[in-house]
Every structure is written in C-alpha cells, then in structure tokens.
Amino acid sequence: MEILRNLPLFPESASTFARDVDALYFFGLFIAAFFSLLIAVLVVVFAVKFKRRSENDYGIPEKTSLPLEITWSVIPLIIVLGLFFWGVKVFVILYRPPADAVEYFAVGKQWMWKFQHPEGNREINDLHVPVGVPIKLTMTSEDVIHSFFVPAFRVKADVLPARYTTVWFEATKPGKYHLFCAEFCGAEHSRMGGSVYVMEPHDYEAWLAGEEPGKSLLASGEELFTDLACHTCHTGDTGGRGPLLTNLTGSEALLADGRTQERDDLYLRESILDPAAKIVAGYQPLMPSFQGQINEEQLLALIRYVKQLNQTAPGEGVQTAAQSSAAAADEG
C-alpha cells in the first residue's frame, strides 16, 4: 500500500468521502477489466475450438437459446443499474454540503486562486483549514473558466464567470495537499495551482491569530452597501424608490412582466450589474448599473450582506442579523 500512495494515479485519501469515490471508481474499473478479459479469452477459445478444419467443413446451423439471451441481457442491466444508483448516492454526498459547513470563498483569476476566510483573512494560492470541520467553498471566476481540483479530497468543480459553484470537503488528516486548476485557462494554466494546508484546530486558531486579519465578508459588504449609496433606495424610509432588501433568503420576487424569480445569489448578482434585466413589479428602472465598478470579491461581499438583512418593526428600516441578535439579547 505504501507503493500505491507514491504513485500519481493513487493520491492519498484525505477527506470523509474520498473512500466512497475510490470504491466506486475501482469497482467500475474491476468490472470493465473483468469483462474485457473474459471476452478476449472467449474470443481466443472459440476461435481455436470452432476453427475450420477442412475445406469441406462448413459448420452446423446455430441454435438460439432464450435463457442465454436473457442471462447476458439481465446481468449487464443489473450491473449498470447498480453503478448508476451507487454513483447517484456518491454524487449527492459530494454536492450537498452539510448544514453546519463553514463557508469559505474562492475567486479564480488568470492565473491564481484568491481565498477568503469567514473571519476575513485572505490568501492567494494557499488555503488553510482546520481538520475535521466541514468546509463549503463558494467559487466564481473573474475571467475565464477554471476548475478547482484537490485530488486528495476527491473534489473537483468548474469555476465559471458570472456563476457561483460550490464544493465541500471535510479533511481527515493534517498535512499539505496539492491544489490544481483542471481546466485549460490560458498560457500560464500549468502554473495555476496552490496548496491546501489542513491543520489541527488549535494550530489553525494560532495561524489565524498570527495573520493580518482583514474585514469579514459581511463587514466589507456593509461598507460597500453604504459607499454605493444602496441604503438611499432600499430601506424602509426611502419612499419606495427601490424594493426592500430584507428577508430575501428563500423568497421570490414578482417581476414587472408577471414572472416570479427566486432571490438567489445569481439574481442578486444580475440585479447589481444589470438592474434593468429584471424589474420588480411596482418599481421603475431607476437603479444604475455597477458593472465595472466592483469586482467579484466585492460582489460576493455585497450579496452576502444583503442576504442577511432582516426587517425590523414597521417604519424602523432594516438591520443586520448581528444587530437583530444583539437587540434580542438586550431585550432578554
């Protein structure tokens, strides 16, 4: 097994679902190899056994066998269906982050990875995470298609411009693991890589304390919300110039053309960059576009801030989730 770990085709298994992915892969590989070998052997055996032994040897008419036909149809069907449902199970595990996953953020750019921790710390081409903690990575690209790939975790997902994709993993072993871009993205594609450092929780906390802390995503979003003057149109005391940006998560907007639209990350992103694309019913297209004025990292921050805005009592405008919690604590 030590030899296998050093082979490039057998990277170390360092996440909770790496063994599930490996088991599915090797089972499929075994099935393919077994039947390929079986067919090759049978071809040789039948070629020798039934070869023409004389010029007058024309063989005998072949008889069909219904049980044989059913057998070699049903067995492959069972195997393929088994692989399909097993694959679906692994897929669901891979692409459904647990509810308690800690959200980190990544932006791909020719030719680097930019990461932000929930505490505000930022890194380029390196990502430090604690062992045994589910990590959800929300990703987007500033330019072309990239692909986030950590072989040891068995996670890979395309990172697309103007889209948000996610992967998650829970590292099981402290160590340094290679990070690659698995999608050709330009002249320096081969150099677009990095490392994921998995640390014990106390070491991770020490690393965070030793780094220069930046603003958290929510703090950056709140600052942008003010700097871009969003509060002049989207709070409760603005006279209805723009829709209230409160309690958006899980809600839908009624558009001027009669359609409904889920207020998800992509909708909010489009509303910031191209506000005239989907006008909310009852409002005029007054909002200017911020295309070219803010980058992808700022967009992520602004969207995360807006999504956690909660509505206060009528006439009191809006407040953040943190402010709501503080107010509830004071009342208690």
Side-chain angles (χ1 to χ4, degrees):
M1 292 301 295
E2 191 64 34
I3 296 177
L4 293 181
R5 292 194 188 99
N6 295 325
L7 291 175
L9 293 179
F10 297 92
E12 186 174 3
S13 299
S15 71
T16 51
F17 47 69
R19 294 188 182 278
D20 295 325
V21 175
D22 289 349
L24 177 61
Y25 171 76
F26 284 116
F27 179 76
L29 189 63
F30 168 78
I31 291 295
F34 173 78
F35 281 101
S36 297
L37 183 61
L38 176 63
I39 292 170
V41 170
L42 289 177
V43 166
V44 174
V45 170
F46 291 155
V48 172
K49 182 177 180 180
F50 298 106
K51 70 178 181 178
R52 188 177 183 184
R53 302 184 185 280
S54 68
E55 292 184 2
N56 298 322
D57 188 0
Y58 293 101
I60 59 176
E62 183 180 347
K63 296 180 180 179
T64 60
S65 172
L66 182 59
L68 181 61
E69 296 280 353
I70 293 175
T71 299
W72 69 32
S73 298
V74 170
I75 290 178
L77 177 63
I78 293 173
I79 293 173
V80 170
L81 287 178
L83 283 171
F84 172 76
F85 288 111
W86 190 357
V88 169
K89 178 183 177 182
V90 173
F91 180 86
V92 170
I93 294 173
L94 283 173
Y95 291 98
R96 292 185 64 182
D100 60 344
V102 181
E103 189 172 26
Y104 289 60
F105 301 90
V107 176
K109 179 182 179 182
Q110 293 174 318
W111 289 274
M112 67 179 70
W113 294 104
K114 297 187 287 185
F115 299 102
Q116 182 167 4
H117 295 244
E119 297 83 2
N121 300 67
R122 287 178 164 84
E123 301 184 79
I124 294 180
N125 292 336
D126 289 333
L127 176 62
H128 291 73
V129 297
V131 68
V133 176
I135 304 295
K136 174 185 175 182
L137 200 59
T138 298
M139 308 178 294
T140 190
S141 169
E142 286 192 12
D143 36 48
V144 299
I145 300 176
H146 302 283
S147 186
F148 180 88
F149 180 36
V150 183
F153 299 159
R154 310 299 192 266
V155 295
K156 186 172 82 72
D158 285 347
V159 181
L160 309 172
R163 294 288 186 273
Y164 296 111
T165 55
T166 61
V167 294
W168 82 276
F169 58 86
E170 181 180 341
T172 57
K173 301 177 184 178
K176 177 183 176 181
Y177 303 100
H178 292 297
L179 159 65
F180 300 96
C181 175
E183 182 76 28
F184 181 73
C185 56
E188 300 295 324
H189 161 70
S190 62
R191 299 179 60 184
M192 185 172 174
S195 300
V196 179
Y197 294 87
V198 180
M199 313 171 76
E200 295 290 351
H202 60 277
D203 293 330
Y204 177 72
E205 293 298 330
W207 176 85
L208 280 179
E211 293 293 309
E212 184 67 28
K215 291 181 181 179
S216 69
L217 212 65
L218 289 182
S220 299
E222 185 172 16
E223 183 177 296
L224 276 169
F225 194 80
T226 301
D227 291 345
L228 298 176
C230 304
H231 61 287
T232 61
C233 294
H234 294 290
T235 53
D237 54 355
T238 59
R241 290 192 295 270
L244 287 176
L245 301 180
T246 54
N247 307 315
L248 298 184
T249 301
S251 65
E252 292 186 340
L254 177 62
L255 304 182
D257 59 7
R259 294 178 298 157
T260 58
Q261 170 68 51
E262 181 184 358
R263 291 184 171 109
D264 56 11
D265 290 3
L266 288 178
Y267 168 74
L268 294 176
R269 185 184 191 282
E270 183 181 37
S271 297
I272 295 169
L273 300 182
D274 187 13
K278 295 175 181 175
I279 304 298
V280 176
Y283 295 93
Q284 297 298 315
L286 304 176
M287 180 174 168
S289 169
F290 292 98
Q291 181 78 47
Q293 300 183 48
I294 55 178
N295 59 32
E296 291 294 341
E297 293 171 276
Q298 292 173 315
L299 270 170
L300 276 169
L302 192 56
I303 290 170
R304 281 299 175 275
Y305 173 72
V306 168
K307 288 186 70 173
Q308 58 83 55
L309 289 174
N310 293 323
Q311 193 166 13
T312 64
E316 295 182 6
V318 298
Q319 61 183 11
T320 66
Q323 292 170 334
S324 299
S325 300
D330 291 341
E331 292 175 1

